Amino acid sequence: YAGANVTFDHEPSSGAGAGSLNVTATADEVLTHYTRELERDGWTVVVDDVPTGSAEGEPVDARELRARRDGAAFDIAVESWSGQTSAVIRVDA
């Protein structure tokens, strides 16, 4: 995601990679970006809302993006509040 500082770690036991990012953007902006890019590259993408409470009385928007292609998986869990978005990404190839 443009402007994001993404950190990735390799999980040797599963061969997967996991990462996280924090950006000043809405969940919609982040998920729209990843949906567009993944679908353009041939992935099948589904985004679901995740029921959540609130952070110190403030509403939190939580969603999960699941993308699949040829046995590979790309998953993003997103939480957004006050224009800030935090995402955890997992890639199983």
Side-chain angles (χ1 to χ4, degrees):
Y1 189 83
N5 184 12
V6 181
T7 58
F8 264 98
D9 292 313
H10 178 59
E11 297 176 3
S13 61
S14 67
S20 62
L21 63 89
N22 291 297
V23 295
T24 302
T26 66
D28 281 338
E29 291 168 330
V30 172
L31 292 170
T32 296
H33 167 77
Y34 280 105
T35 297
R36 180 180 57 244
E37 294 300 316
L38 289 162
E39 287 178 341
R40 182 181 300 158
D41 200 31
W43 293 76
T44 300
V45 178
V46 174
V47 177
D48 291 315
D49 290 333
V50 175
T52 185
S54 57
E56 298 178 15
E58 186 175 344
V60 175
D61 182 7
R63 298 190 220 162
E64 291 180 349
L65 177 150
R66 292 184 317 278
R68 303 293 181 264
R69 182 183 73 184
D70 302 327
F74 185 99
D75 299 305
I76 305 174
V78 173
E79 288 188 350
S80 184
W81 62 97
S82 295
Q84 300 292 315
T85 298
S86 175
V88 176
I89 302 166
R90 181 177 170 89
V91 180
D92 291 300

